């Protein structure tokens, strides 16, 4: 699963699952009302579980990119030690950082870290939504009790 987040839209996210893009409007998914309360309450745990799984998947991709980066760094550093006449720690590190493939990996790590950070906030939003649904339900019961009296 690949997560792609539009930089210009904070309330929309596209998840690509099995090659098929799925657009999610977070404003719609997080919203609830008295008319949709029972449906929203019934689906809250599934929504939270879904977004938590997306977050876990993004964290896994981030760790994979970091691991690939470490391996790539080691390979390029070994290449530098054979290519450079008198390699020092600084020159080897400069050699590694100058390689386009290593820069691409660093950018990939940054992209995944950004995705993870955004998904953390989405999961927290669904957690807060759960609390709000509980409070909203309590208020509805209180209002119904007041009307019945």
């Amino acid at each position: 699963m690949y997560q792609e987040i539009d930089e210009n839209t904070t309330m929309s996210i596209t998840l690509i699952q099995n090659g098929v893009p799925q657009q999610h409007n977070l404003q719609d998914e997080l919203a609830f009302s008295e008319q949709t309360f029972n449906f929203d309450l019934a689906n809250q745990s599934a929504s939270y579980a879904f977004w938590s799984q997306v977050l876990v998947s993004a964290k896994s991709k981030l760790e994979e990119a970091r691991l690939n980066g470490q391996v790539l760094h080691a390979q390029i550093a070994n290449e530098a030690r054979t290519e450079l006449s008198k390699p020092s720690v600084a020159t080897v590190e400069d050699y590694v950082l100058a390689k386009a493939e290593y820069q691409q990996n660093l950018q990939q790590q940054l992209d995944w870290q950004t995705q993870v950070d955004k998904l953390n906030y989405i999961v927290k939003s669904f957690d807060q939504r759960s609390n709000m649904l509980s409070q909203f339900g309590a208020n509805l019961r209180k209002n119904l009790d007041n009307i019945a009296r």
Side-chain angles (χ1 to χ4, degrees), residues 22-105:
Q22 297 177 345
Q23 186 74 20
H24 293 270
N25 184 320
L26 295 172
Q27 188 170 1
D28 292 344
E29 289 190 32
L30 289 166
F32 62 90
S33 68
E34 190 172 336
Q35 290 76 27
T36 63
F37 175 72
N38 288 330
F39 177 80
D40 294 327
L41 189 61
N43 289 311
Q44 171 61 24
S45 59
S47 295
Y48 183 84
F50 172 78
W51 287 105
S52 294
Q53 180 55 41
V54 172
L55 174 59
V56 167
S57 177
K59 285 181 178 180
S60 174
K61 294 290 188 178
L62 173 60
E63 287 306 312
E64 181 181 334
R66 285 181 177 159
L67 182 60
N68 289 340
Q70 290 174 348
V71 170
L72 187 59
H73 186 281
Q75 291 171 341
I76 296 171
N78 285 338
E79 176 186 312
R81 288 184 196 93
T82 60
E83 294 286 325
L84 300 173
S85 57
K86 292 184 179 180
S88 67
V89 173
T91 57
V92 169
E93 191 62 27
D94 289 344
Y95 186 91
V96 171
L97 290 173
K99 287 289 194 173
E101 58 190 321
Y102 188 70
Q103 292 172 5
Q104 288 172 345
N105 177 269

Side-chain angles (χ1 to χ4, degrees), residues 104-141:
Q104 288 172 345
N105 177 269
L106 290 176
Q107 183 60 51
Q108 184 182 33
Q109 289 181 50
L110 181 62
D111 292 345
W112 278 113
Q113 184 61 58
T114 302
Q115 306 282 342
V116 166
D117 292 344
K118 289 179 182 181
L119 287 165
N120 271 320
Y121 285 112
I122 292 171
V123 170
K124 287 178 185 177
S125 295
F126 276 95
D127 191 33
Q128 287 180 326
R129 182 180 188 260
S130 177
N131 295 335
M132 291 178 359
L133 283 168
S134 296
Q135 185 62 44
F136 189 74
N139 289 343
L140 283 178
R141 285 189 301 279

